[in-house]
Structures are given as C-alpha cells and as structure tokens.
C-alpha cells in the first residue's frame, strides 16, 4: 500500500489513522488529554467512551511528553497520546517540544513492545505548526530512533491528505535513499 524507506521500517500512507492495522496509534493530544477535535476527535470516536475515562487517569501530560492508554474499540492495541506545542512563531522551544513528544511516544511504544506505530502530523492542525517544519522534525526524530532501536519494527507516517504526504515524501527522500 504505502511507500517505504529505511529498509521498510518507515512507511508513508494517506488516510484515516483510526483505520490502520498497527499495534499503536499516536494521538495529537492536549495537556489535559481531553477529547478534542481533529485527529484526537476521530480517535476518541473510534475507540469509544472508555478512552476518555482512561485518559482522565493517564493525564495530565506536559507539552513535549506522551502517555499510553489501551486502544479499546480501535484495531490498535494502544493509543500513545503525544502533546505537541502550540505554534507561537518558533522561538518558544517549539522544535524541541515537538521532537520530545515524538521521542516520548516512541519510548512508550518500545516499553510496550509495540511492533508497529502510526503517527499523524502532530501539531500541524489546530496547533498551527507549519507542516514543512514539523515534517523535518518528525522525519529526523523517527529516523534517529529507528537507527538506534530495533523496536518498533515499523513506523507509519499517516497523512490526512495527498498534499501533506508530498511534504513527507520530500523529507523522507532527503533523509533516506529514494525507494527503489
Ligand atoms: N487521521 C489522520 N490524520 C488526521 C485525521 C485522521 N483521522 N484527522 C485529522 N488529521 P490536529 P494538533 C490530521 O488538529 O495540531 C485537538 O483538539 C490533520 O489534518 O488533529 O496537534 C487535540 O485535542 C493534521 O495534519 O492536531 C488538541 O487540543 C494532523 O492530523 C489539538 O487538537 C494534526 O492536526 C492538537 O492540535
């Protein structure tokens, strides 16, 4: 289906993250881990009301960090709630905070022995992080993590539109060998 890089360990797909057959999906969450709009709303709708209850116990979560809950009615066994920064112009630590929440989600995936993890474009919707800048950080952070760890064996970047996927493809081609 999707294209892949890094020997098949990093994939790019276009679609709804709640539909993916992966061990864990990442939620673009807020610090309160409250059900919101965007991908967060879609994940809560698909997982069912138990997810909000689990989030009340798992949270709050500071910006730049992540928390884990079960996936309930989702195909994914886990949801990794990663809190990206609200974009304030880029001089308020946004790059470090965005990279931090990716790393925290990957660390939780590793601890949970999740074989595959899917990320949405954290921060780039309601939180306003410019997509090209966020994509560089996502690709670099995930790229460094898969180079240093055997698990998760497969990381999927799930874009909601073909245009967004084009931005990811460009960055993935720069960081890795172009797919054969
Ligand atoms: N599957 C994959 N990606 C999606 C989906 C989906 N079903 N729906 C939207 N996206 P956003 P943020 C994309 O706004 O900027 C929430 O209220 C979307 O096109 O969901 O981190 C939270 O509770 C965009 O590319 O997250 C927080 O309060 C990306 O997901 C706040 O919004 C992220 O957009 C977080 O804002």
């Amino acid at each position: 289906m999707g294209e892949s890089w890094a020997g098949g360990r990093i994939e790019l797909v276009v679609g709804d993250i709640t539909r993916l057959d992966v061990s864990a999906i990442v939620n673009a969450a807020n610090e309160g881990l409250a059900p919101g709009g965007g991908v967060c709303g879609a994940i809560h709708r698909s997982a069912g009301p138990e997810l909000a209850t689990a989030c009340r116990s798992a949270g709050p979560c500071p910006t730049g960090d992540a928390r884990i809950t079960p996936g309930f009615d989702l195909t994914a066994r886990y949801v990794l709630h990663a809190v990206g920064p609200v974009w304030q112009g880029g001089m308020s630590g946004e790059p470090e905070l965005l990279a931090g929440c990716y790393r925290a989600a990957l660390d939780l995936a590793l601890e949970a022995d999740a074989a595959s993890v899917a990320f949405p474009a954290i921060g780039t919707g309601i939180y306003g992080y410019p997509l090209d800048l966020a994509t560089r950080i996502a690709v670099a952070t995930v790229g460094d993590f898969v180079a240093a760890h055997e698990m998760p064996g497969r990381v999927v970047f799930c874009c909601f539109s073909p245009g967004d996927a084009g931005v990811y493809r460009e960055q993935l081609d720069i960081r890795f060998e172009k797919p054969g």
Side-chain angles (χ1 to χ4, degrees), residues 15-18 27-31 33-45 82-85 119-129 131 158-161 164:
D16 178 355
I17 200 167
T18 65
N27 180 20
N30 54 68
E31 289 190 336
L33 300 195
V39 69
C40 181
I43 290 171
H44 275 271
R45 276 193 299 281
V83 184
F119 282 90
I122 300 169
T124 68
I126 292 163
Y127 279 2
Y129 210 117
L131 181 66
C158 178
C159 290
F160 210 38
S161 74
D164 288 1

Side-chain angles (χ1 to χ4, degrees), residues 19 26 28 34 36 38 67 72-73 80 93 100-101 106-107 110-111 117 134 137 146 149 155 175 180:
R19 304 285 185 161
V26 177
R67 297 286 184 265
F72 299 103
D73 292 347
L80 306 169
C101 82
L106 289 162
D107 281 336
L110 187 64
E111 277 171 34
V117 182
I137 291 168
V146 302
H149 303 276
V155 178
R175 162 90 198 208

Side-chain angles (χ1 to χ4, degrees), residues 39-122:
V39 69
C40 181
I43 290 171
H44 275 271
R45 276 193 299 281
S46 298
E50 285 172 296
L51 183 61
T53 307
C55 282
R56 278 194 287 278
S57 314
C61 175
T63 299
D65 208 348
R67 297 286 184 265
I68 189 167
T69 68
F72 299 103
D73 292 347
L74 289 162
T75 307
R77 184 160 176 208
Y78 303 107
V79 179
L80 306 169
H81 304 266
V83 184
V86 177
W87 179 255
Q88 291 172 326
M91 303 297 283
S92 303
E94 293 94 328
E96 294 76 17
L97 291 165
L98 187 63
C101 82
Y102 273 89
R103 267 194 302 272
L106 289 162
D107 281 336
L108 288 170
L110 187 64
E111 277 171 34
D113 214 22
S116 51
V117 182
F119 282 90
I122 300 169

